[in-house]
């Protein structure tokens, strides 16, 4: 059994920062679960363009509020605690926080720990 406490991850190399977000990575590829699990903060004042062509991601909002734009359809959906979105088609999207959002994120395949977005909004493909 693996047991992790967010308090032990903050400030370590499992606490990864990108432009407009902070991702506390609770479970990673090396843990062998087949997915990674992140406690992620989306900060106010950024429009994030994300397009995970190499991953599927589910994102469950547990704090804050903001919105997501599906770039394929133009549809905008409000995000608030209790809302989940699943990028089951590697959907190209934008997210923005009106109040800092705290999101529980699951990636398949799992991230290895150090990933930040490239200029297209993707994380690199897993190499294993
Ligand atoms: C919601 C989202 O994709 N934010 C960017 C960070 C990512 N979720 C991560 O690595 O935790």
């Amino acid at each position: 059994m693996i047991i992790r406490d967010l308090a032990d991850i903050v400030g370590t190399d499992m606490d990864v920062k990108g432009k407009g977000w902070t991702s506390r990575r609770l479970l990673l590829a090396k843990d062998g679960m087949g997915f990674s699990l992140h406690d992620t903060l989306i900060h106010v004042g950024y429009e994030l363009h994300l397009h995970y062509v190499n991953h599927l991601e589910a994102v469950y909002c547990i704090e804050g509020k903001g919105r997501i734009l599906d770039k394929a359809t133009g549809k905008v959906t409000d995000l608030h605690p209790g809302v989940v979105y699943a990028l089951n088609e590697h959907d190209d999207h934008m997210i923005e926080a009106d109040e800092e959002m705290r999101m529980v994120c699951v990636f398949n395949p799992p991230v290895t720990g150090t990933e930040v977005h490239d200029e297209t909004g993707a994380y690199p493909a897993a190499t294993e």
Side-chain angles (χ1 to χ4, degrees), residues 16 20-25 37-42 48 50 52 57-59 85 87 93 95 103-107 111 115-117 123:
V16 179
W21 56 268
T22 301
S23 176
R24 290 81 61 90
R25 295 179 171 167
L37 179 67
H38 314 182
D39 181 321
T40 296
L41 303 174
I42 306 296
L48 305 185
L50 307 171
Y52 296 112
E57 186 195 22
V59 179
Y85 64 85
L87 304 169
H93 64 290
I95 57 171
M103 321 293 254
V104 177
C105 307
V106 177
F107 276 82
V111 307
E115 289 89 342
V116 293
H117 303 103
Y123 288 161

Side-chain angles (χ1 to χ4, degrees), residues 25-114:
R25 295 179 171 167
L26 294 155
L27 293 170
L28 292 168
K30 66 182 180 211
D31 294 312
M33 296 294 291
F35 58 85
S36 57
L37 179 67
H38 314 182
D39 181 321
T40 296
L41 303 174
I42 306 296
H43 306 301
V44 173
Y46 300 87
E47 256 195 331
L48 305 185
H49 172 225
L50 307 171
H51 191 192
Y52 296 112
V53 292
N54 301 310
H55 297 82
L56 301 173
E57 186 195 22
V59 179
Y60 184 54
C61 180
I62 58 169
E63 291 177 13
K65 63 181 181 184
R67 72 197 76 80
I68 181 169
L69 164 68
D70 179 340
K71 291 195 73 176
T73 63
K75 185 177 179 201
V76 176
T77 303
D78 287 339
L79 300 174
H80 53 79
V83 177
V84 63
Y85 64 85
L87 304 169
N88 60 318
E89 295 182 325
H90 304 278
D91 312 73
D92 192 2
H93 64 290
M94 316 267 308
I95 57 171
E96 189 173 9
D98 299 320
E99 279 172 17
E100 182 167 87
M101 292 191 287
R102 185 173 177 204
M103 321 293 254
V104 177
C105 307
V106 177
F107 276 82
N108 168 26
V111 307
T112 62
T114 56

